[in-house]
């Protein structure tokens, strides 16, 4: 039966090669199994039949059984429509179509009984249904009966080829009839019995053709349970195997490099959170097992300092380290920060990016091989084959969601023996996402800001308050502060009514004219040298205002910048707004984030603005973002390393279930890590199927 489900969809009655091509392209349905697991997005109650006499215009969707008594083409041009006269013995109504006239008239027979389904309307003293669903009453008796009718997402292209939600339902009905209750079970008996789960056969039948609301709920729970359980089992088994098999370098001592840095160069007292995280890292790197740890921390929480101290421990034990950053701006920022931290210490730090000149590149390659470079910072240039280390012991990956898994794997393989891996992110990750996306990593969180930092005040202003904003900016500049103004677009757009950078530059330079004020500009279409020159002017305090697009989202650390103005803030997602806000508040002075919007705000945009003004907590914002947008849009999830795409579970809504199935998976693996016991053979087989579908990069997530 498993082989049957792998058959190409074109072999299912009612599909054929042409429809198969469309289903594959539009919905990613290529096999019988894909169709079976293409789940509805909503259900409409079809347990009741109404009569025409009972109709009112306020009614939602209804179904009526009756006969077509005649057709008429009415109107002309764009208003031309096909009208069918429909009667059920209690009254008459009209069925109306604005396209597909020939097909409809050929397929419907006068005086034959049909079931009509749709939203009733009332026009010129008559009830009507526009573009109704129509089904042969006799054929309906041969369909799997359900009181709740499933509705499936389709596309415009499919609808034009007459592949509607109803068509998909009929195809699934055909498939389920062919299977005849012989769908192989995919969970062992001890799980289905202990947790009172429907069989897979019952669950799939009732997710597509639910007999009632209770069975639909049970079917949904069973399928969500299975989907999330196998994700957790897959992640946790790989983590267990890595811990038991993957030996790591032992960094057994803390020596001269870390001690000197701690005594002579540490710029401020570590927070309790930084101390806790360093303790967790030291335990990992001294255990003899390879460290694979995710370090989460809000913008400005001191992750780089923790990473540096970890790299100094590596150096104390005779090993090199590297940091890979997603952009040259961020790589340069790390390089300057580390050079400043390490001033006066005999630690050789080098920078390798796409802009590094050939001669400097050759020297870096040689110095890496002979061990003269202790810490290498770079971009994607680090993963080039020509870049070889003498003894790489620790890899730090910053803002790792911006790298593909294959890219990270190449860096991880720079040593015959796997180095320790520290993955850093300033994008707070909700707990449910962390359990799925990074479930095979140990997680550390820095949840304190360094001492002396004041919370950023976030203010929402409408465009009509611009003069008030300009007055505030002038006050800040007079106090010696600097200002960021960020725009969503570089040039004016005909399709989007948002502020653009070019227009903004003109209005800002009018409001803040030279020579009293100096304004610089940075955007993604500028050459690297131009961007760097503009950034340096701002860093040195020569320019007062930096006008930019989101290129300054990461990689800029200017303590003197105290105001972040975000134009058309409704255009940005919560995560991006939070990242941009984090560019200020780096010094001891009070900092501000001003969210500028138009009066026209969608409900979702208004919610985002409200959340930003109420909290600075990145994790609270991330949870809200997950609920508002769903997991598919959260930054980085496309490189998640999940075993398969979520078909029915929802990470925003199913947090408790994720934790529940994770606990169950842990209990099973505690007693049978390799799933060799007889009762676990189904689990092992399912994991093999998952492994065959997707390459495994989880070890370097």
């Amino acid at each position: 039966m498993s082989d049957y489900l792998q058959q190409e969809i074109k072999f299912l009655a009612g599909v054929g090669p042409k429809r198969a091509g469309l289903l594959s392209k539009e919905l990613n349905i290529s096999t019988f199994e894909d169709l079976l697991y293409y789940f509805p997005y909503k259900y409409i109650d079809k347990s009741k039949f109404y009569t025409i006499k009972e109709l009112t215009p306020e009614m939602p969707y209804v179904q009526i059984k009756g006969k077509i008594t005649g057709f008429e083409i009415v109107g002309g041009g764009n208003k031309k429509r096909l009208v069918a006269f429909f009667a059920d013995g209690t009254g008459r109504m009209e069925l109306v179509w604005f396209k597909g006239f020939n097909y409809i008239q050929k397929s419907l027979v006068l005086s034959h009984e049909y079931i009509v389904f749709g939203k009733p309307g009332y026009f010129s003293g008559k009830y009507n249904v526009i573009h109704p669903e129509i089904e042969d009453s006799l054929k309906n008796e041969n369909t799997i009966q359900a009181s709740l009718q499933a509705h499936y997402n389709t596309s415009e292209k499919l609808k034009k080829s007459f592949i509607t939600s109803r068509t998909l339902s009929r195809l699934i009905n055909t498939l389920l009839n062919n299977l005849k209750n012989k769908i192989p079970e995919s969970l062992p008996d001890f799980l289905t019995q202990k947790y009172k789960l429907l069989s897979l056969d019952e669950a799939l039948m009732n997710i597509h053709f639910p007999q009632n609301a209770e069975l639909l709920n049970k079917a949904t729970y069973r399928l969500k349970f299975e989907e999330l359980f196998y994700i957790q089992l897959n992640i946790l088994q790989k983590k267990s195997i890595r811990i038991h098999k993957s030996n790591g370098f032992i960094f057994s001592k803390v020596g001269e490099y870390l001690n000197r840095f701690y005594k002579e160069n540490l710029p401020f007292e570590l927070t309790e959170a930084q101390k806790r995280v360093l303790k967790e890292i030291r335990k990992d790197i001294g255990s003899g097992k390879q460290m694979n740890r995710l370090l989460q921390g809000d913008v400005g929480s001191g992750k780089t300092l923790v990473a540096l101290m970890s790299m100094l421990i590596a150096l104390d034990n005779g090993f090199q380290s590297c940091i890979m950053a997603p952009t040259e701006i961020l790589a340069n920022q790390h390089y300057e920060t580390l050079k400043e931290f390490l001033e006066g210490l005999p630690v050789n730090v080098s920078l390798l990016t796409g802009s590094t000149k050939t001669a400097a590149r050759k020297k870096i390659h040689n110095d890496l091989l002979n061990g003269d470079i202790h810490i290498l910072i770079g971009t994607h240039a680090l993963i080039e084959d020509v870049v070889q280390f003498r003894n790489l012991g620790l890899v730090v990956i910053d803002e790792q969601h911006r790298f593909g898994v294959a890219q990270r794997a190449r860096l991880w393989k720079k040593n015959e023996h796997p180095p320790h891996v520290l993955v850093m992110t300033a994008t707070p990750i909700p707990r449910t996402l962390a359990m799925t996306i990074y479930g095979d990593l140990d997680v550390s969180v820095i949840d304190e800001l360094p001492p002396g930092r004041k919370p950023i005040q976030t203010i929402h202003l409408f465009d009509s308050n611009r003069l008030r904003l300009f007055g505030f900016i002038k006050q800040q500049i007079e106090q010696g502060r600097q200002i960021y103004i960020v725009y969503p677009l570089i040039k004016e757009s005909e399709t989007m009514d948002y502020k653009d950078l070019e227009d903004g530059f003109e209005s800002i330079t009018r409001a803040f004219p030279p020579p009293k004020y100096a304004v610089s500009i940075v955007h993604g279409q500028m050459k690297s040298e131009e961007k760097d020159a503009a950034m340096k002017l701002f860093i040195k305090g020569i320019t007062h205002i930096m006008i930019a697009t989101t290129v300054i989202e990461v990689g800029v650390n200017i303590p003197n910048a105290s105001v972040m103005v975000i134009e058309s803030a409704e255009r940005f997602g919560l995560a991006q707004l939070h990242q941009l806000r984090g560019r200020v508040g780096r010094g001891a002075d009070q900092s501000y984030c001003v969210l500028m919007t138009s009066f026209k705000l969608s409900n979702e945009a208004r919610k985002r603005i409200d959340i930003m003004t109420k909290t600075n907590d990145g994790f609270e914002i991330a949870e809200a973002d997950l609920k508002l947008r769903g997991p598919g849009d959260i930054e980085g999830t496309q490189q998640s390393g999940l075993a398969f795409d979520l078909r029915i579970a929802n990470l925003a809504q199913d947090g408790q279930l994720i934790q529940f199935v994770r606990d169950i998976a842990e209990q099973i693996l505690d007693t049978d890590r390799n799933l060799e016991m007889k009762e676990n053979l189904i689990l092992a087989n399912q994991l093999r199927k998952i492994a065959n579908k997707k390459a495994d990069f989880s070890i370097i997530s």
Side-chain angles (χ1 to χ4, degrees):
M1 191 54 67
S2 180
D3 291 339
Y4 177 79
L5 288 174
Q6 298 314 310
Q7 286 191 69
E8 292 180 48
I9 195 67
K10 67 182 179 183
F11 296 118
L12 183 68
V15 180
K18 188 176 178 182
R19 276 186 162 184
L22 282 167
L23 288 169
S24 178
K25 188 177 179 182
E26 296 295 306
L27 302 180
N28 205 25
I29 295 174
S30 300
T31 66
F32 290 1
E33 184 177 51
D34 293 337
L35 179 64
L36 194 59
Y37 281 85
Y38 190 71
F39 296 131
Y41 73 96
K42 71 173 182 179
Y43 300 85
I44 292 176
D45 188 355
K46 296 193 76 174
S47 59
K48 179 174 171 56
F49 282 89
Y50 290 85
T51 64
I52 294 172
K53 186 180 177 181
E54 292 175 299
L55 295 183
T56 67
E58 296 77 30
M59 279 183 167
Y61 288 88
V62 298
Q63 61 180 352
I64 304 163
K65 197 179 285 187
K67 296 177 181 179
I68 294 173
T69 59
F71 290 101
E72 185 181 343
I73 300 232
V74 180
N78 293 333
K79 294 184 178 179
K80 187 177 177 183
R81 60 195 184 275
L82 173 67
V83 176
F85 303 105
F86 188 74
D88 71 347
T90 72
R92 284 163 54 89
M93 64 184 296
E94 294 180 350
L95 310 178
V96 184
W97 294 268
F98 291 94
K99 55 187 177 182
F101 300 171
N102 291 336
Y103 173 80
I104 292 160
Q105 281 188 280
K106 283 179 186 174
S107 60
L108 298 178
V109 180
L110 294 179
S111 301
H112 187 81
E113 189 173 68
Y114 292 100
I115 295 170
V116 167
F117 180 78
K119 174 87 173 68
Y122 192 72
F123 182 72
S124 295
K126 300 172 192 169
Y127 282 101
N128 63 52
V129 176
I130 295 172
H131 286 273
E133 287 183 19
I134 291 193
E135 188 171 11
D136 188 316
S137 182
L138 292 174
K139 286 183 180 176
N140 182 261
E141 292 172 7
N142 299 320
T143 302
I144 298 170
Q145 295 300 306
S147 62
L148 295 165
Q149 188 189 61
H151 281 246
Y152 301 85
N153 277 315
T154 57
S155 67
E156 285 306 312
K157 208 166 186 179
L158 288 172
K159 286 173 187 172
K160 284 177 183 174
S161 298
F162 302 103
I163 303 176
T164 62
S165 170
R166 193 75 182 143
T167 311
L168 290 171
S169 184
R170 287 189 186 117
L171 293 174
I172 292 167
N173 178 68
T174 300
L175 180 57
L176 285 168
N177 277 326
N178 291 349
L179 288 165
K180 291 175 183 167
N181 305 324
K182 291 180 182 175
I183 299 168
E185 184 52 70
S186 50
L187 286 174
D189 289 344
F190 73 86
L191 284 180
T192 55
Q193 289 171 12
K194 183 174 181 180
Y195 300 108
K196 297 181 172 59
L197 302 173
L198 291 184
S199 69
L200 181 59
D201 201 82
E202 288 176 292
L204 288 169
M205 182 70 72
N206 280 283
I207 203 74
H208 292 294
F209 300 98
Q211 299 305 301
N212 52 55
E214 184 184 359
L215 276 170
L216 174 59
N217 289 336
K218 287 182 176 180
T220 303
Y221 183 81
R222 151 68 206 233
L223 293 167
K224 283 186 175 187
F225 181 103
E226 177 175 345
E227 185 167 68
L228 294 170
F229 170 74
Y230 276 116
I231 288 173
Q232 293 303 325
L233 188 68
N234 190 38
I235 288 168
L236 291 169
Q237 189 190 45
K238 286 180 181 1
K239 179 179 179 180
S240 175
I241 290 168
R242 175 176 57 77
I243 289 169
H244 286 88
K245 287 188 177 179
S246 183
N247 294 327
F249 297 121
I250 299 176
F251 297 171
S252 58
K253 64 177 182 178
V254 172
E256 184 71 13
Y257 288 105
L258 183 66
N259 286 329
R260 271 192 66 185
F261 173 78
Y262 196 85
K263 289 173 187 173
E264 301 171 16
N265 289 51
L266 190 65
F268 44 76
E269 178 72 21
L270 294 175
T271 64
E272 289 304 312
Q274 286 173 312
K275 290 176 185 175
R276 183 185 70 243
V277 170
L278 272 169
K279 200 175 287 184
E280 290 166 353
I281 290 170
R282 284 189 62 185
K283 184 179 178 184
D284 284 352
I285 59 183
S287 68
K289 303 295 181 185
Q290 184 217 12
M291 176 174 74
N292 212 20
R293 184 167 287 275
L294 170 68
L295 175 55
Q296 290 192 74
D298 229 331
V299 174
S301 61
K303 297 183 300 298
T304 305
L305 181 58
V306 168
L308 171 59
M309 294 176 77
S310 304
M311 291 188 284
L312 291 175
I313 295 172
L315 190 52
D316 278 329
N317 287 273
F319 290 93
Q320 297 166 298
S321 301
C322 70
I323 301 179
M324 185 162 76
T327 64
E328 286 200 16
I329 290 176
L330 188 50
N332 276 292
Q333 183 75 53
H334 280 314
Y335 179 69
E336 295 298 333
T337 301
L338 263 61
K339 292 287 281 184
E340 188 179 334
F341 275 148
L342 295 167
E343 190 176 353
L345 295 180
V347 180
N348 189 358
V349 182
S350 288
L351 176 68
L352 179 64
T353 69
S355 301
T356 306
K357 305 294 183 196
T358 304
R361 195 177 287 265
K362 283 182 180 176
K363 185 175 187 324
I364 288 171
H365 294 163
N366 290 332
D367 290 350
L368 273 179
L369 273 175
N370 62 34
D372 287 345
I373 292 176
H374 302 132
I375 298 171
L376 180 64
I377 299 165
T379 55
H380 299 76
L382 297 189
I383 64 176
E384 293 172 1
D385 292 337
V386 71
V387 179
Q388 297 295 326
F389 294 80
R390 183 180 179 183
N391 55 349
L392 180 62
L394 174 62
V395 169
V396 179
I397 301 174
D398 196 17
E399 294 301 332
Q400 64 81 39
H401 57 269
R402 297 183 177 224
F403 297 103
V405 286
Q407 291 171 320
R408 303 198 297 264
R410 285 177 66 186
L411 183 59
W412 186 76
K413 291 173 181 174
K414 288 287 179 183
N415 203 328
E416 287 182 19
H417 200 74
H420 296 296
V421 178
L422 182 65
V423 169
M424 300 197 302
T425 181
T427 304
I429 302 161
R431 190 166 165 274
T432 51
L433 274 179
M435 280 192 290
T436 48
I437 297 172
Y438 305 111
D440 64 318
L441 278 74
D442 298 304
V443 179
S444 292
V445 178
I446 300 179
D447 49 10
E448 284 179 80
L449 287 177
R453 296 273 178 91
K454 295 177 181 174
I456 301 163
Q457 288 186 22
T458 303
I459 303 155
H460 174 212
L461 295 178
F462 292 111
D463 291 336
S464 55
N465 296 124
R466 197 161 297 282
L467 289 178
R468 178 183 160 194
L469 171 69
F470 287 169
F472 175 66
I473 290 173
K474 284 175 181 174
Q475 286 177 0
Q476 289 290 304
I477 292 173
E478 283 165 14
Q479 292 171 22
R481 307 287 166 252
Q482 289 169 281
I483 319 295
Y484 294 111
I485 303 179
V486 175
Y487 291 85
L489 305 171
I490 296 173
K491 293 185 178 180
E492 187 177 1
S493 166
E494 291 181 5
T495 57
M496 290 186 287
D497 185 21
Y498 296 127
K499 298 292 179 187
D500 66 276
L501 180 141
E502 288 186 352
D503 181 58
F505 182 71
E506 288 180 20
S507 63
I508 292 296
T509 48
R510 280 197 303 271
F512 299 89
K516 185 175 181 181
Y517 301 101
V519 180
S520 53
I521 187 167
V522 172
H523 59 74
Q525 291 181 10
M526 293 167 66
K527 292 179 181 176
S528 293
E529 311 88 73
E530 294 172 334
K531 274 192 284 192
D532 290 343
M535 291 297 300
K536 280 172 186 171
L537 290 173
F538 195 62
I539 289 166
K540 290 175 181 176
I542 297 168
T543 52
H544 304 105
I545 299 173
M546 163 73 74
I547 293 179
T549 54
T550 54
V551 292
I552 57 100
E553 182 183 334
V554 294
V556 183
N557 182 12
I558 301 168
N560 194 50
S562 65
V563 180
M564 167 63 73
V565 179
I566 305 174
E567 292 283 359
S568 297
E570 68 270 32
R571 171 74 178 83
F572 298 93
L574 269 175
Q576 203 168 29
L577 288 172
H578 184 63
Q579 284 277 349
L580 287 167
R581 176 168 62 183
R583 295 300 107 212
V584 295
R586 296 309 193 85
D589 300 299
Q590 179 62 59
S591 290
Y592 304 87
C593 177
V594 184
L595 306 175
M596 300 296 294
T597 73
S598 68
F599 277 105
K600 294 181 198 171
L601 289 178
S602 67
N603 286 336
E604 190 174 312
R606 199 175 294 280
K607 285 177 187 174
R608 290 199 298 270
I609 300 298
D610 287 347
I611 291 162
M612 287 295 295
T613 56
K614 285 174 184 170
T615 183
N616 283 304
D617 186 323
F619 290 95
E620 189 178 332
I621 287 167
E623 291 286 354
D625 201 21
L626 181 62
K627 285 173 185 168
L628 279 174
R629 294 200 294 165
D633 294 322
I634 299 293
E635 196 168 26
T637 58
Q638 296 309 307
Q639 293 294 344
S640 66
L642 291 180
F644 44 78
D645 295 329
L646 291 175
R647 287 160 157 165
I648 192 166
N650 184 314
L651 298 186
Q653 298 170 2
D654 297 324
Q656 283 186 313
L657 184 55
I658 292 169
Q659 185 63 65
F660 182 59
V661 297
R662 186 178 176 87
D663 291 343
I664 295 167
E666 280 180 336
Q667 290 165 17
I668 291 168
L669 292 170
D670 282 346
T671 56
D672 186 15
R673 186 169 72 242
N674 296 315
L675 301 176
E676 294 168 334
M677 293 166 66
K678 187 179 178 182
E679 62 265 34
N680 292 330
L681 291 180
I682 286 181
L683 303 180
N685 288 333
Q686 287 296 111
L687 288 189
R688 273 193 289 275
K689 280 175 66 177
I690 290 167
N692 290 335
K693 286 182 181 178
K694 189 163 185 175
D696 172 31
F697 292 106
S698 64
I699 202 161
I700 44 81
S701 291

